[in-house]
Amino acid sequence: MKKLLIVLMMLVSPVWAAAPFTPEQEARIKEIVRETMVSNPDILAQAVDAWQQQTASQQVSQVIAANAKTLYDDPASPRMGAKNAKLTLVTFTDYNCPYCKRFDPMLEKIVKQYPQVALVVKLLPFKGESSVSSARIALTAWQQHPEQFWALHQRLMAKKGFHDDASIAAAQQKTNVKPVAPSDRSMETLRTNMQLAEQLGVQGTPATLIGDRMLAGAVSYQELESMVKQQLAKANNG
């Protein structure tokens, strides 16, 4: 109800601010607004959606400005693609998330298809203890043997269902990744990722920051590519 009242005030206040009106004119304006709402009930819903999107966009922009280095240039976060990218995608993902398993290969495909784009992976263990375990192993591999990370990452993403200790060990063995023990730094990175996700309003995985827009969930490759093209054009023109 509070949001609806705010939206109504936003709709009407520019009229009041424009110039003083007679009581008769004010009554007529209120009547027109009321009639419009009754005959076009979708207007209010659309206004609420627009207000929410604007608020979310402002929040994302503020978080980016305050945390740009941690989002884009944290050496503890896996990265691929252009070194001096025009557009860097930041994806929050989980090795136990079925939607991430489907969406992650699309992100890698985008990076390979668009040489001006880079990808930063922020592992976000939302789905239990094995999400934490697999994320820590992957992050430690990135820290100690970065050239081996992507093969391990893809193998961990390829498993159907949830991981366990055996599947994590098997992923390391099958990709010939040197066995690693989870480092303290890997846990620090996960804590940082959780803090960033909370500030950005991330409520699930995958969640992908594309320019100044946050994409919640998995979409088709066509939708992803369209958004990347729009944000890349915006970056090139800016």
Side-chain angles (χ1 to χ4, degrees), residues 64-108:
I64 291 174
N67 300 277
K69 186 171 181 60
T70 307
L71 278 167
Y72 300 115
D73 298 316
D74 180 8
S77 294
R79 180 190 177 98
M80 72 182 304
K83 185 174 182 180
N84 297 310
K86 281 287 186 177
L87 178 67
T88 300
L89 314 183
V90 180
T91 187
F92 292 86
T93 191
D94 185 332
Y95 290 125
N96 280 336
C97 167
Y99 303 103
C100 299
K101 295 173 189 289
R102 187 178 76 216
F103 190 59
D104 187 82
M106 298 183 195
L107 294 170
E108 294 187 36

Side-chain angles (χ1 to χ4, degrees), residues 42-63:
D42 290 343
I43 287 179
L44 192 55
Q46 292 169 7
V48 171
D49 287 343
W51 178 76
Q52 290 176 331
Q53 290 174 12
Q54 182 180 9
T55 302
S57 178
Q58 290 172 346
Q59 177 186 356
V60 168
S61 297
Q62 290 169 358
V63 174

Side-chain angles (χ1 to χ4, degrees), residues 169-235:
Q172 293 179 84
Q173 183 178 11
K174 290 180 180 178
T175 52
N176 295 317
V177 172
K178 296 178 183 178
V180 294
S183 66
D184 292 339
R185 190 180 182 188
S186 67
M187 182 56 77
E188 293 172 5
T189 302
L190 290 184
R191 292 194 186 101
T192 299
N193 293 350
M194 292 291 286
Q195 291 170 356
L196 286 172
E198 182 177 359
Q199 292 179 55
L200 286 164
V202 173
Q203 297 181 355
T205 54
T208 307
L209 188 61
I210 304 176
D212 58 0
R213 293 186 59 189
M214 176 61 75
L215 174 63
V219 297
S220 69
Y221 184 79
Q222 289 74 22
E223 291 176 275
L224 172 62
E225 185 178 35
S226 176
M227 187 179 296
V228 167
K229 284 182 176 179
Q230 291 173 5
Q231 293 295 319
L232 191 55
K234 185 177 179 179

Side-chain angles (χ1 to χ4, degrees), residues 3-23:
K3 289 181 180 178
L4 297 182
L5 291 173
I6 292 173
V7 172
L8 284 172
M9 290 172 65
M10 290 171 63
L11 288 172
V12 177
S13 60
V15 177
W16 306 140
F21 293 97
T22 65

